[in-house]
Amino acid sequence: MTSVRLGDFIDSARQDSFAGRRTELAGFDAALAGRSSRRVLLVHGPGGVGKTMLLLQMRARARAAGRAVVMLDGREVDPSPEGLTSALPPGTVLLIDGYEQLGPIDGWIRTEFIPSRPADHVVVLAGREPPARAWRADPGLRQVVAIHRLDDLDDADSDDLLARAGVPEQVRPRLRRLGRGHPLALGLLADAALTGAVPDELADVPDLVSALLESLLDEAPSDAHMVGLATCAKAWLTTEDLLRATVGAEAPAVFAWLRRRPFVVSRPRGLTPHDLTRDVLDAEFERRSPDRYRSLHRVIHDHVVEGIRATTGPEQQLVVQHLLHLHRHGPFAAVFYALRAEGSAAVVPARPDEYPQLVSIVERRQGETNAALAEQWLADQPDHVWVVRTDEGQAAAFVHYLFCPTGLMLEERDPIVRTILEYVARTAPMRPGERTSVGRFLAGARDQRCDPYELLVGSTSSIIQWCTEPVAWSFMVFDDEECWGPRMDYIGFRRLMEIRTGGVRYVAFGHDWRRFPVDSWLDLMGQREHAGGTGPPPESMLRPPPPSRDAFGAAVRSALQQLNRLDQLAANPLVGTALGDSPAAVRSSIDEAIRRLAQEPKGDQLAAVLHRTFVRAAPTQEAAAEALGQPFSTYRRYLAKAIEQLTDVLWAAEIGTLDLRPGTLSTD
C-alpha cells in the first residue's frame, strides 16, 4: 500500500493556489525533461515577489517527475565552497533560495561548481539581486543558463491568484487594484478579504502590509496563535521547539498555522516572516502590549541561551546568530549581516597548521615582541583559539583566550597577563578552583581599523566562552580603544588598565562574573536592546564581594543551623552568592546539594545524617544518632565528614563548576 505523506497534501495545496509564472515553469519543465540545454535557471526579483513559492512549485514538479530534489536556503549555508558542498545531499535537481546570501562565492559557483555538475542535472538559483554580468558575458554559460526576472503579476494572473485563494468574484477587482500585482500583498489581501476586513485605500505596499496585519492579528484563532505570531516576528528562526517554550502544548498546531500564513516562509530549519513584514509585526506587537512583548523576548532569549550551552560546532554557531538577531539594534549584530555580503561568517576553532599565519597577523599589526608572545602562548596553551576565514580559506581574523592560572612561567613574562593577574590579586582575588579568562590576542588580517572580521570573531566567540566556560573574571585586551571602547561600554565591561608592551598601547576591559553573573548580564543586555543604555551595571545590581573559601565554609555551617528559619537565614552571607539571591533559594540549593551527595558512593549515609540533623532535625544530636541507629561517636564522625563534603559540593556551585538546578549536570 502506497504511503501518502503530509508533504504531498501541502504540495498539492500549493499547486492549487499558485498562479502565474508560466514562462519560468515552462523553462524548468523543458530542462527537467531534457528538451532544453538551459539547465541552469537564474531567477531574481524583490522580496515578496514570489521566488520561494516558485521554487516550491518547481520542487513539486521535479518530485512528480521522479527526480531527487535538494532545496537550500542561502541564509543557512556558510558562503564558502566547503560550506555549500557540505550542505548538499545527493540529488539531481538543486534549488537555492536566497542566492544573494551566497554572493561571496558566486564566482566559484559560476566557474567551478556549475561546470562540475552532471549534464542531466538542473540548478535553479533564486535571489533578490540580478545575476552578475559574467553570467551573461561568457558564451559557454549562455548555452546552459536562462535568466528570469520576476515582476508583478498582470491583472489576469492576479485575478487567478485571488480566485484560487477563495476570494469572491465581486471583491477581486478592488483587491487587484490595491495589490498592484504584488504576490505577497495579494496573498495578504486575500486572507483579509476572507474575514471581511478589506482596506479601502493603501498608498504603497508597506502601508498595505501594516493595515492587513491588523486584520490578520484580529483573526488569530487563539491567544496561543497570537503569541506564536509574535514569536515568529521576534525570533530569527521559529521552530516547534521554540514555540513549546512560548505557547506550550499548542506548539504543533500554532506551527502549522504559522506555516500557512502568506507572509511566512518555511525554511529547512524553521519559519521566518518576509523581511517586509518582520519589522511591522515587531512594532505592532510592542505597541499593543510592551510589557508582554518584553516577557516574550525573555522566553525566546532563555531558549536561545540554553541552546548555546547545549550545542557545539555549527549548531552552536546557528544559535549564536539567533542571539545576535535578538540584539539586532546593538553594536555587534549588524557586523554579522554585513559580512555575509563579503564572505564566510562562520567563527570556528582554528587549526594548528594556521597558527603561523595567526602569528604573522600579530607581527604585522602589533610588532615582533608581541608576535613572539603569541607564538609562545599558541605553543603552550593551544586551545580556545577562534578564527573566521575568507572564502579563499585564509584567516581573516582570530582571537586567542587564555585561562589562568596556567602554571606557566609565561604568565610572568607576558606584561599584559602579569598586569591583569596582579590587578585581580589586588582587588578581588581568585579563590580555590576559580579561573580568569583573558582574550589576549585579537587581530584582523586586513590593515584597517575596526575590521569587521575582527569584530565578528571577538563578539561571537566571547558569547560562546562566557555562556559555556565558568570563570571568575573575564578580560578582553585591545590595541584599538577607539573601536572597541564604545562596544565594551555597551556590554558593561569596565576599562580597568592600560599597558604598553613592544611599543604597542593596549587597553584591557574586565568583568567580575561573581558579582554580576552571566544570566544577570544577559538580562541587562536584553534590557538594553529595548531601552538602550551603556556603562557597567549599577552598584545596586551587584552581588556582595565573594567570600573566601574559609568564610564560605563558616557560612555553610551557620546556614545548616538556620535551615528551617528563613528569617534567620536571610542574614546569612550565602544569600547573594551563586547559591541564591534569597533565603528560599539558598535553602533550595542546600537541599539539592544534599540530594546530590546522597547519589555519590557511600553518600547516602552522609546525606541521612544531614537530613536528620538539619532538614528534619531531631531535638538533639543524641536523638539524631539514636534515630539513625548509630553510636554517638560514629554519628559525630559522620556528621563532620558530611558537612565537609556538603561544603565541597556547594563550593563547586559557588565557583561555577557545578549547576545545582534540578535536572542539571556538572559543567566542568
Side-chain angles (χ1 to χ4, degrees):
M1 180 177 180
T2 302
S3 175
V4 179
R5 302 177 303 112
L6 286 176
D8 297 328
F9 289 110
I10 294 171
D11 285 343
S12 176
R14 285 175 178 146
Q15 288 180 292
D16 291 343
S17 64
F18 189 81
R21 311 308 184 200
R22 285 176 288 275
T23 300
E24 293 79 7
L25 288 173
F28 179 76
D29 288 342
L32 205 61
R35 298 191 304 270
S36 169
S37 64
R38 311 271 177 148
R39 305 294 170 83
V40 180
L41 310 184
L42 305 183
V43 179
H44 67 96
V49 80
K51 299 183 295 296
T52 300
M53 293 304 297
L54 176 61
L55 290 184
L56 291 171
Q57 288 297 307
M58 292 176 171
R59 183 179 70 177
R61 288 174 181 239
R63 285 176 173 172
R67 303 290 287 270
V69 186
V70 176
M71 186 168 177
L72 298 178
D73 182 352
R75 294 192 301 179
E76 297 173 13
V77 177
D78 185 62
S80 64
E82 297 82 4
L84 178 59
T85 53
S86 65
L88 282 177
T92 63
V93 176
L94 172 60
L95 311 174
I96 298 182
D97 200 4
Y99 182 67
E100 69 276 3
Q101 300 292 334
L102 300 183
I105 57 171
D106 177 72
W108 175 82
I109 290 175
R110 186 176 63 253
T111 61
E112 301 286 341
F113 179 76
I114 291 297
S116 71
R117 303 291 286 184
D120 63 336
H121 283 208
V122 179
V123 178
V124 183
L125 309 176
R128 295 190 174 191
E129 302 298 325
R133 191 186 190 101
W135 286 98
R136 297 181 175 90
D138 187 321
L141 281 175
R142 285 202 301 266
Q143 299 302 310
V144 299
V145 170
I147 298 174
H148 298 281
R149 172 183 169 180
L150 293 191
D151 291 312
D152 292 338
L153 302 175
D154 60 23
D155 282 351
D157 286 337
S158 295
D159 194 78
D160 187 24
L161 186 153
L162 294 169
R164 290 169 180 269
V167 176
E169 184 175 357
Q170 64 272 20
V171 180
R172 293 177 209 156
R174 183 181 177 191
L175 299 189
R176 284 202 311 270
R177 176 177 62 84
L178 293 174
R180 303 176 188 175
H182 190 273
L184 173 60
L186 289 166
L188 288 166
L189 282 164
D191 254 21
L194 295 176
T195 68
V198 181
D200 292 328
E201 291 290 338
L202 298 166
D204 49 38
V205 170
D207 287 343
L208 164 66
V209 175
S210 180
L212 288 173
L213 282 174
E214 285 289 337
S215 297
L216 290 168
L217 296 178
D218 289 341
E219 70 151 332
S222 70
D223 184 68
H225 290 77
M226 187 79 77
V227 174
L229 194 55
T231 302
C232 197
K234 175 63 70 177
W236 187 52
L237 282 170
T238 298
T239 63
E240 279 198 39
D241 283 343
L242 174 57
L243 287 173
R244 286 189 189 94
T246 62
V247 305
E250 295 186 64
V254 172
F255 185 86
W257 179 81
L258 285 171
R259 188 169 53 188
R260 294 193 300 270
R261 296 306 91 199
F263 50 84
V264 172
V265 177
S266 181
R267 309 284 184 188
R269 293 179 178 270
L271 306 178
T272 62
H274 284 82
D275 294 339
L276 181 67
T277 58
R278 184 190 289 279
D279 288 341
V280 180
L281 276 166
D282 199 66
E284 176 65 17
F285 280 112
E286 188 161 17
R287 180 190 68 80
R288 285 185 171 214
S289 182
D291 291 341
R292 190 178 184 191
Y293 204 39
R294 281 171 173 76
S295 297
L296 177 67
H297 180 105
R298 174 58 189 265
V299 173
I300 298 172
H301 165 276
D302 289 350
H303 180 83
V304 170
V305 171
E306 182 180 346
I308 293 174
R309 290 169 169 160
T311 57
T312 58
E315 286 299 318
Q316 192 176 55
Q317 287 283 317
L318 183 66
V319 182
V320 170
Q321 292 167 22
H322 281 243
L323 186 62
L324 288 174
H325 176 79
L326 285 178
H327 299 278
R328 60 189 181 277
H329 301 305
F332 291 106
V335 173
F336 170 76
Y337 297 107
L339 283 178
R340 287 303 297 256
E342 292 191 35
S344 173
V347 176
V348 296
R351 302 187 306 266
D353 64 280
E354 293 178 295
Y355 290 175
Q357 182 189 355
L358 306 186
V359 172
S360 68
I361 291 175
V362 176
E363 182 174 8
R364 184 170 63 252
R365 176 158 158 177
Q366 301 171 4
E368 292 182 3
T369 300
N370 292 295
L373 288 169
E375 186 174 26
Q376 289 177 282
W377 277 118
L378 286 167
D380 291 345
Q381 198 178 90
D383 298 327
H384 306 290
V385 186
W386 298 81
V387 66
V388 58
R389 303 186 182 100
T390 65
D391 56 319
E392 292 86 15
Q394 298 297 307
F398 85 101
V399 61
H400 186 190
Y401 294 91
L402 309 177
F403 286 81
C404 304
T406 64
L408 301 170
M409 289 300 296
L410 191 52
E411 278 186 2
E412 181 65 25
R413 296 202 306 269
D414 185 336
I416 289 178
V417 176
R418 182 180 67 244
T419 304
I420 286 174
L421 294 181
E422 287 174 350
Y423 175 86
V424 170
R426 187 172 63 251
T427 57
M430 288 184 284
R431 301 168 297 173
E434 290 184 331
R435 302 181 300 168
T436 287
S437 74
V438 180
R440 173 60 180 92
F441 299 99
L442 172 62
R446 300 190 291 191
D447 295 325
Q448 70 176 88
R449 285 310 205 186
C450 248
D451 185 341
Y453 282 109
E454 181 183 326
L455 292 172
L456 176 69
V457 75
S459 59
T460 303
S461 63
S462 62
I463 290 173
I464 294 173
Q465 295 286 151
W466 299 338
C467 289
T468 60
E469 294 281 355
V471 292
W473 280 90
S474 284
F475 287 85
M476 296 296 293
V477 180
F478 308 107
D479 65 349
D480 187 355
E481 183 177 9
E482 183 179 350
C483 173
W484 282 97
R487 289 171 167 81
M488 291 294 101
D489 195 44
Y490 174 78
I491 68 171
F493 272 47
R494 300 174 185 269
R495 184 188 189 278
L496 296 177
M497 65 197 71
E498 179 179 321
I499 313 133
R500 289 185 177 272
T501 179
V504 179
R505 172 182 171 271
Y506 292 93
V507 175
F509 293 79
H511 182 82
D512 186 344
W513 297 110
R514 300 165 301 181
R515 300 205 64 191
F516 199 68
V518 171
D519 288 340
S520 300
W521 174 78
L522 289 167
D523 289 344
L524 179 65
M525 292 300 97
Q527 294 169 19
R528 289 185 176 177
E529 167 65 16
H530 291 292
T534 58
E539 193 71 25
S540 60
M541 296 179 67
L542 301 181
R543 287 178 171 174
S548 68
R549 179 64 170 81
D550 289 343
F552 184 87
V556 169
R557 291 190 293 273
S558 177
L560 288 172
Q561 301 292 339
Q562 303 160 340
L563 208 55
N564 295 307
R565 293 292 304 272
L566 293 186
D567 56 334
Q568 295 180 7
L569 190 58
N572 190 284
L574 295 182
V575 177
T577 67
L579 301 187
D581 291 323
S582 69
V586 171
R587 164 68 193 255
S588 178
S589 293
I590 293 174
D591 288 342
E592 178 64 17
I594 294 174
R595 190 184 71 80
R596 300 281 183 97
L597 183 61
Q599 296 175 345
E600 296 181 2
K602 298 183 179 179
D604 54 340
Q605 290 180 321
L606 302 181
V609 169
L610 292 171
H611 191 270
R612 204 68 186 92
T613 306
F614 302 114
V615 181
R616 296 181 63 86
T620 65
Q621 290 190 353
E622 289 80 0
E626 183 178 351
L628 292 166
Q630 297 173 349
F632 189 64
S633 60
T634 302
Y635 162 81
R636 294 280 291 175
R637 188 172 66 254
Y638 275 29
L639 178 60
K641 186 176 181 181
I643 293 174
E644 178 184 355
Q645 293 196 14
L646 176 69
T647 304
D648 289 342
V649 172
L650 294 170
W651 180 251
E654 166 68 4
I655 65 174
T657 58
L658 182 71
D659 191 338
L660 282 179
R661 289 174 298 178
T664 58
L665 297 174
S666 173
T667 59
D668 59 0

